Amino acid sequence: MFGTLIKFFKFCDEENRKKFTGSIFVGILNSLFMAFRIAAVAVMLRGVIGTAIQGQPFETKTIWLSFGIMCVSIIGGIITRKVTAMWQCEGGYRTCAKKRIEIAEHLRYLPMGYFNENSLGEITSVTTNTMESVGDVATRAVMMVFQGLLDTSLIIVMLFFFDWRIALVALAGFGLFEFVNLFMRLAVKNVSADKIRDDAAEIGKVLEYIQGIAEVKAYNLVGKRSRELNDVINRRKKTLVKMEMRCIPVSNIQSLVAKLSGVAMMITSLYFYLAGSMALADCATMLVCSFMLFNALEAGGNYSALLRTIDLGVTKASKILALPTMDIEGKDNTVVSTDSTNGALIQANAIDFAYDKRKIIDNISLSIPEHSTTAIVGPSGGGKTTFCHLLARFWDVDKGTVTLDGKDVRDYSMDNLMKNYSFVFQNVYLFHDTIANNIRFGQPEAPMEKVIAAAKKACCHDFISQLPNGYDTVIGEGGASLSGGERQRISIARAIMKDSPIIILDEATANVDPENERDLMKAIEELTREKTVIMIAHRLKTVRNADQIVVIDKGRIAEQGKHDELVAKGGIYARFIDSRKEAVSWKL
């Protein structure tokens, strides 16, 4: 139990760790105030019993003393409990909020291979369900479990001042309670791991189902026929039921032990009184204490089963944060004109790269001059996208070097390196935000005038103006409320705003209908003016005017040159052109 709490404290940042530490000290004060109630009861009972049995006059000051002690207990308890609750809530929720941001920042610098090996559901589950669970459970568990232990411990200590024999009975009950509580924590140990695993699996399947909803409808994979999704949901349901069924019996036994311990205190107190070894006032005080002692402990004990969730949640989040990032501590280098360098803005020198043991890029060397257009073509799966990602350091090469302006890309700080690249991908992702904020994504503080200017250059100002709220229109997550061409042009406006010297286009016009193609091509022309352009493309009109065309096949450069030169060779590129001409000639 204490190991989990210490682990969570270490997981917290320094500011929130101080809040939890402070809440513990205030919690000790709260427990002292709660223990004062025994003193108040004892003072009153001794006064009343002394008057009734011994014929002593009942003094008003006894009432006021008991009342005063009780007031101090109640008022002090309210204040300290409020402070404790506030500090623990702030500490728990702010810790999880900061860890979400920290995980997001950490993910930025992980090699892209991590995202291939780990499902979206797993990452989403850790940053949403797991961290939310840690925030909720940690706040309640720390507050209830620790406070229950403190309250009970201090009351038992106070009992030693009244009668050490009853205190020992209470201490034995406390030990038996904790022994049963240990079984509860062990009972849910494996199920807690299953719960977190099933949470991730469910999120992954739901995301997969929603993202593929078009195929789901097209192939009638709904209802009972969506078997995989139903199985995952049912498995998680069974896990949750299993966890509850394991907790409930042990929790009932734990509650029974607490109540029987109170009964044992009562019986023992009555026995000592009847045997003449305990005063009636003390006996009555012990009877009252038997009802008070285990209330806080019982409430905290029920929450202790959730400590395992904290442990696993902290472990999963820490595991992501411990993943080795790429070396990002480079310099903030400035890209200058290549007139003073080796004549190439970007240079790949005999680079190799492999996913695990499967080689994707094999000994590629390529020079890309400044303000030139390089088209990358080749068969699907040949390594085109991977090669472009290596140029921008989405991954680190296994062998060789990639240089930008004569400097190894690994010598740049990651943020500084990314300032030099703008990307337009085939599958555009837009955020659930206003169109204006999606365009100014690279420059959050940019004025509206710059946003509109970029939109006009990207040929999307007209359709944005026709939307209900114009640039303040909030679009759905992923840009689902816009057409493919509209999303693509907004992504180009975003790249125009960033104004980087290098533009990488990855199949940017692949899925655009003819009606949008003219506007899209005009937007791309505006984006790439006086830029260094690297494009992956399959359309003839987008590659034939490139300054150099590079054909990548099976991870190697199979051909390289201008359009007419490669057509004359009759190789892979020539066959590629012929197949495109045949496809264009088809009429319906």
Side-chain angles (χ1 to χ4, degrees), residues 410-422:
R410 289 169 289 197
D411 292 336
Y412 290 79
S413 69
M414 183 59 72
D415 291 336
N416 181 248
L417 179 66
M418 286 298 105
K419 290 179 182 178
N420 295 291
Y421 292 90
S422 289

Side-chain angles (χ1 to χ4, degrees), residues 104-278:
E105 287 295 313
H106 192 76
L107 291 174
R108 288 176 57 200
Y109 303 115
L110 292 179
M112 291 296 292
Y114 169 79
F115 302 98
N116 293 332
E117 297 165 3
N118 296 270
S119 68
L120 180 60
E122 177 74 17
I123 299 170
T124 305
S125 179
V126 171
T127 53
T128 55
N129 275 13
T130 301
M131 295 312 301
E132 183 177 357
S133 179
V134 168
D136 289 340
V137 175
T139 301
R140 289 176 175 83
V142 170
M143 188 162 49
M144 298 297 290
V145 175
F146 205 82
Q147 200 62 51
L149 290 172
L150 281 175
D151 288 353
T152 306
S153 300
L154 286 174
I155 290 175
I156 291 175
V157 169
M158 185 166 284
L159 287 179
F160 275 100
F161 291 97
F162 285 91
D163 193 297
W164 63 271
R165 297 167 299 180
I166 303 302
L168 288 177
V169 174
L171 188 60
F174 177 71
L176 184 58
F177 182 93
E178 286 301 309
F179 182 73
V180 176
N181 184 259
L182 175 62
F183 275 97
M184 176 186 282
R185 297 199 302 273
L186 291 175
V188 300
K189 182 176 181 180
N190 294 330
V191 185
S192 297
D194 293 341
K195 176 188 177 298
I196 290 182
R197 180 202 64 201
D198 291 341
D199 284 347
E202 183 181 60
I203 290 177
K205 279 298 176 186
V206 169
L207 287 172
E208 181 183 284
Y209 189 85
I210 293 172
Q211 290 171 344
I213 195 66
E215 285 75 15
V216 169
K217 288 184 176 181
Y219 291 96
N220 197 29
L221 299 174
V222 294
K224 294 181 179 179
R225 299 192 66 180
S226 55
R227 189 174 302 167
E228 288 186 6
L229 177 60
N230 291 336
D231 287 345
V232 168
I233 293 173
N234 288 329
R235 186 166 64 245
R236 182 172 181 268
K237 180 189 72 174
K238 290 177 180 178
T239 299
L240 292 174
V241 171
K242 184 179 179 182
M243 175 178 281
E244 290 298 321
M245 294 305 293
R246 285 194 178 184
C247 282
I248 289 172
V250 185
S251 178
N252 289 335
I253 295 173
Q254 185 176 256
S255 179
L256 180 62
V257 167
K259 289 175 173 57
L260 289 178
S261 297
V263 171
M265 288 176 62
M266 295 171 66
I267 294 173
T268 309
S269 298
L270 289 170
Y271 172 78
F272 289 144
Y273 167 68
L274 294 174
S277 61
M278 180 181 287

